[in-house]
Amino acid sequence: MAEPMSDSNKVENVIIVGGGPAGYTAALYTARANLEPLVFEGFQWGGQLQNTTDVENYPGYPEGIMGPEMMAQFRAQAERFGTRFVTDDVDRVELSDGGVQKVFLGDEEHRAKTVILAMGAEPKRLGIPGEMELGGRGVSTCGVCDGAFFKDQKVIVIGGGDSAMEDSIFISKFASQLDVVTRRDQFRASKIMLDRTREKDNIGFRNPLEPLEFVAGESGKLEKVRFRNVNSGEEEEIAADGAFVAIGHVPKSEIVQGQVQTDEDGYIETEAGSTRTNLGGVFAVGDVVDHTYRQAVTAAGTGCMGALDAERYLRDEEPPVEAHWMPGGEPAEIATGSG
Ligand code: NDP
């Protein structure tokens, strides 16, 4: 793995913050454009795909591929063209409208002409008692990671979107009985995912129940979940060995809050049809921008867009191109910048 420059006088062409499909694709494109990108890929590089098993919907893998393996391949492809990686989390940034952008690892300052923000998203929490305390003791946000721990046990999955359905289908391979619990009697999930979930004999549906508390038994592990029936207002309890919270995601935009424009949910706002933020030289790609699609392939697509936007920005920021007369021919354009 190439070591990054820590010379604080050096101004990189491009720094990429994030090591998921968006960040690695931006790295691949900027590396192939000879911009020598420096990627802060995070301590747990690979993004959300690091917590996934089979990826069956990424074009080009007809047999499917494991998420972590796919990320290793994305990374290797970017590395092949000279990308440098820092396997650590960025502590803070100082972004400006044009000029030099600054990214900090502790006190270590890294400077760049452009920054591509690709920090991704993370699972949303309910914010109710017991949720954090019982993490790893029955309560989880990652069905794919933890589903197999609940073999022949009773599990609930909270949420009514595609994430909840996907988790339920996966966990139902292990659990003896699984209840999908939603706070409304409508679902956000797509019809195909809902149909697949309904087909499973060991999956039932409970609603409209609003989660109130995860309750531990004497062993210190989850024993039951308390809910409020939204129609009757009465409390109900469901006994469960495992509870999976699958209620969507929040963008990982903390480090840029107050610097770059975000919407009310914290997603970074970009100009329609581009990856440009409200700050010149700062671009945003992948799930940290996208509330809607949030697929590996769409993240990779916007990563490519971010790289091309950064490349164009750098080209336009370079010293002006002058026309030189070449003997015996037409005027040729020669860039006066360092290239
Ligand atoms: P969604 O926003 O689609 O669904 C979130 C679910 O969680 C809703 O049922 C919502 O209820 C519920 N919820 C949210 N907050 C709470 C709360 N505090 N208490 C109880 N319930 C709550 O998120 P997903 O992560 O499921 O999906 C996001 C996007 O990713 C979608 O576009 C989806 O299609 C896509 N996706 C696709 C997959 C696939 O195709 N294989 C797999 C996973 C995701 P309410 O409706 O009442 O707000």
Side-chain angles (χ1 to χ4, degrees), residues 57 124-128 158-167 181-190 192-193 196 209-211 245-249 291-295:
N57 54 8
K124 224 188 231 177
R125 310 267 173 188
L126 289 162
I128 61 172
I158 297 172
D162 281 338
S163 297
M165 301 308 138
E166 195 174 60
D167 277 2
V181 184
T182 54
R183 62 181 172 182
R184 296 186 299 140
D185 39 23
Q186 276 104 37
F187 297 91
R188 285 186 199 265
S190 55
I192 183 168
M193 295 295 283
R196 279 187 194 170
L209 297 176
E210 181 193 3
V245 179
I247 58 169
H249 290 79
H291 340 182
T292 313
Y293 303 105
R294 303 193 315 96
Q295 302 300 301

Side-chain angles (χ1 to χ4, degrees), residues 256-300:
V256 299
Q257 286 292 346
Q259 299 192 51
V260 82
Q261 204 162 307
T262 54
D263 69 13
E264 66 277 13
D265 297 322
Y267 288 88
I268 299 173
E269 291 193 324
T270 52
E271 210 177 282
S274 99
T275 65
R276 284 189 291 274
T277 67
N278 62 313
L279 300 178
V282 180
F283 306 89
V285 299
D287 284 6
V288 77
V289 176
D290 177 10
H291 340 182
T292 313
Y293 303 105
R294 303 193 315 96
Q295 302 300 301
V297 66
T298 50

Side-chain angles (χ1 to χ4, degrees), residues 146-170:
D146 299 331
F149 297 131
F150 297 94
K151 193 161 173 12
D152 299 326
Q153 296 185 30
K154 196 168 179 308
V155 167
I156 65 171
V157 172
I158 297 172
D162 281 338
S163 297
M165 301 308 138
E166 195 174 60
D167 277 2
S168 299
I169 293 165
F170 181 79

Side-chain angles (χ1 to χ4, degrees), residues 7 11 20 62 70 81 84 89 93 113 133 209 214-215 232 234-235 240 243 268 275 300-301 306 308 318 331 333:
D7 173 5
V11 180
M70 186 164 93
F81 297 101
R84 293 157 301 149
D89 298 319
V93 296
K113 295 178 206 168
E133 297 85 336
L209 297 176
F214 296 101
V215 183
S232 67
E234 290 188 357
E235 280 194 21
I268 299 173
T275 65
L308 296 177
E318 290 291 282
E333 284 190 339

Side-chain angles (χ1 to χ4, degrees), residues 19-302:
Y24 290 147
T25 306
L28 170 64
Y29 271 75
T30 48
R32 291 194 73 247
N34 289 334
L35 296 175
E36 300 174 321
L38 177 59
V39 178
F40 290 86
E41 61 183 349
F43 182 66
Q44 289 192 315
W45 62 275
Q48 292 178 71
L49 282 172
Q50 212 56 287
N51 297 327
T52 313
T53 53
D54 284 308
V55 180
E56 295 179 338
N57 54 8
Y58 200 93
Y61 296 99
E63 307 303 326
I65 182 168
M66 300 304 270
E69 192 192 338
M70 186 164 93
M71 282 303 90
Q73 291 190 5
F74 269 53
R75 190 180 188 280
Q77 195 173 354
E79 191 169 32
R80 179 179 153 207
F81 297 101
T83 301
R84 293 157 301 149
F85 299 97
V86 178
T87 310
D88 210 341
D89 298 319
V90 166
D91 291 303
R92 66 187 178 91
V93 296
E94 281 177 23
L95 303 177
S96 60
D97 188 13
V100 175
Q101 314 293 344
K102 295 178 183 169
V103 170
F104 294 87
L105 275 183
D107 291 336
E108 193 179 298
E109 178 181 310
H110 296 263
R111 305 195 297 163
K113 295 178 206 168
T114 64
V115 172
I116 300 176
L117 303 169
M119 291 87 74
E122 63 188 352
K124 224 188 231 177
R125 310 267 173 188
L126 289 162
I128 61 172
E131 185 175 22
M132 304 311 284
E133 297 85 336
L134 294 177
R137 283 185 289 156
V139 179
S140 169
T141 53
C142 183
V144 165
C145 319
D146 299 331
F149 297 131
F150 297 94
K151 193 161 173 12
D152 299 326
Q153 296 185 30
K154 196 168 179 308
V155 167
I156 65 171
V157 172
I158 297 172
D162 281 338
S163 297
M165 301 308 138
E166 195 174 60
D167 277 2
S168 299
I169 293 165
F170 181 79
I171 301 163
S172 73
K173 293 178 196 164
F174 308 101
S176 53
Q177 170 64 32
L178 187 151
D179 284 320
V180 179
V181 184
T182 54
R183 62 181 172 182
R184 296 186 299 140
D185 39 23
Q186 276 104 37
F187 297 91
R188 285 186 199 265
S190 55
K191 187 174 179 308
I192 183 168
M193 295 295 283
L194 207 46
D195 287 348
R196 279 187 194 170
T197 313
R198 286 187 168 128
E199 277 166 15
K200 300 281 174 195
D201 291 336
N202 60 342
I203 298 184
F205 290 85
R206 302 281 299 267
N207 57 48
L209 297 176
E210 181 193 3
L212 297 179
E213 184 183 3
F214 296 101
V215 183
E218 279 182 6
S219 65
K221 291 185 181 164
L222 179 72
E223 185 180 82
K224 60 189 175 187
V225 186
R226 278 200 312 119
F227 293 92
R228 188 178 66 87
N229 187 307
V230 176
N231 287 343
S232 67
E234 290 188 357
E235 280 194 21
E236 288 182 25
E237 290 180 349
I238 302 180
D241 304 299
F244 289 82
V245 179
I247 58 169
H249 290 79
V250 278
K252 292 172 75 175
S253 58
E254 307 89 344
I255 59 165
V256 299
Q257 286 292 346
Q259 299 192 51
V260 82
Q261 204 162 307
T262 54
D263 69 13
E264 66 277 13
D265 297 322
Y267 288 88
I268 299 173
E269 291 193 324
T270 52
E271 210 177 282
S274 99
T275 65
R276 284 189 291 274
T277 67
N278 62 313
L279 300 178
V282 180
F283 306 89
V285 299
D287 284 6
V288 77
V289 176
D290 177 10
H291 340 182
T292 313
Y293 303 105
R294 303 193 315 96
Q295 302 300 301
V297 66
T298 50
T302 58

